[in-house]
Amino acid sequence: MNANQFLKAVSQLQGWRECAFLLALAERAFPNYALFADAVGMKSGGKMRQLLDLAWDTLQQEATEAAIPQLLTKLESLSPNVDDYDAYGVYPAFDFCQLLEQALLNRLNPNKHRATDASQLATRTIMDFVEMSEGEELDEDQLVRLFEQHPLLKEDKIFQRDTVLALKRQRTPLEDFIAELKADAASDGVSNLGISLDS
């Protein structure tokens, strides 16, 4: 699947498949939030974990009209304000919150396509991290080469592509399938930035 085919496949995701894709992106980014919350003493990692699990549950059962707005309000209260922190980690943490917000908004309004922007946001988080940690002295050409060859960006590409392919093949959101999708995205607690909840 080349880049154009991938973009087309993402743009065709609808309904539960689109929501599952958004949740998979959020799941993969979750450690970025949990580690940041822990580092700054926000004590909200556990609450956010519960919220993410509840969002996954909406794929299996129809969420009530009132439930999703409540989850969105909860998410807003747990989201860090990027202007309040001096640490770089607030940006990947906030990006995670945006991905989860898109998944919840998808349940409220499934007719608005969100997967393409979310896919790009998830990749952008990694590019910003790579540039910040390894690309400060590089000119534009060197930076492009760094992005092209970077293992984190290669892994992200494979993860997103495999997720889309799995969703395209699956007819209904069966419990086993969703559990496997979630476990793959969780990647044993290692985020899309290669940082681990155990570290």
Side-chain angles (χ1 to χ4, degrees):
M1 187 187 273
N2 66 29
N4 286 339
Q5 288 168 321
F6 171 74
L7 281 172
K8 188 177 178 195
V10 172
S11 72
Q12 289 170 340
L13 290 173
Q14 291 178 333
W16 74 266
R17 287 184 184 84
E18 184 175 16
C19 187
F21 179 71
L22 294 165
L23 284 168
L25 293 177
E27 184 68 50
R28 193 149 157 76
F30 172 71
N32 301 335
Y33 176 89
L35 289 165
F36 170 75
D38 199 37
V40 299
M42 265 170 69
K43 305 260 191 297
S44 56
K47 290 178 189 154
M48 189 63 91
R49 178 68 260 174
Q50 284 177 315
L51 187 59
L52 182 53
D53 289 339
L54 287 169
W56 277 105
D57 289 345
T58 66
L59 289 173
Q60 239 60 69
Q61 64 239 19
E62 276 305 308
T64 60
E65 283 282 301
I68 300 292
Q70 283 174 345
L71 294 178
L72 283 162
T73 302
K74 182 98 173 136
L75 175 61
E76 195 177 343
S77 72
L78 296 173
S79 297
N81 181 342
V82 291
D83 297 330
D84 291 348
Y85 298 94
D86 217 6
Y88 176 79
V90 71
Y91 297 105
F94 182 69
D95 288 349
F96 157 78
C97 296
Q98 287 187 285
L99 291 169
L100 180 51
E101 181 184 45
Q102 290 306 308
L104 291 170
L105 287 170
N106 169 273
R107 301 314 272 162
L108 268 188
N109 177 11
N111 297 324
K112 183 180 187 315
H113 180 74
R114 303 172 191 280
T116 302
D117 285 349
S119 165
Q120 289 166 354
L121 170 64
T123 304
R124 183 85 242 166
T125 306
I126 305 167
M127 290 170 78
D128 289 346
F129 175 72
V130 168
E131 185 172 358
M132 186 274 303
S133 54
E134 298 173 42
E136 293 221 312
E137 305 296 313
L138 304 181
D139 65 30
E140 214 159 294
D141 290 344
Q142 291 169 317
L143 200 55
V144 169
R145 273 201 298 281
L146 176 65
F147 289 153
E148 282 171 354
Q149 292 161 3
H150 205 282
L152 287 177
L153 285 155
K154 285 181 177 173
E155 280 169 31
D156 175 63
K157 198 178 277 185
I158 292 166
F159 165 71
Q160 290 204 33
R161 188 194 64 205
D162 288 354
T163 304
V164 170
L165 287 171
L167 288 165
K168 280 174 79 82
R169 285 195 294 263
Q170 185 69 18
R171 295 185 63 160
T172 52
L174 295 172
E175 200 170 324
D176 291 354
F177 172 77
I178 296 301
E180 195 178 322
L181 194 73
K182 185 178 178 183
D184 285 347
S187 187
D188 295 323
V190 179
S191 85
N192 55 352
L193 301 183
I195 55 179
S196 168
L197 287 172
D198 299 330
S199 59

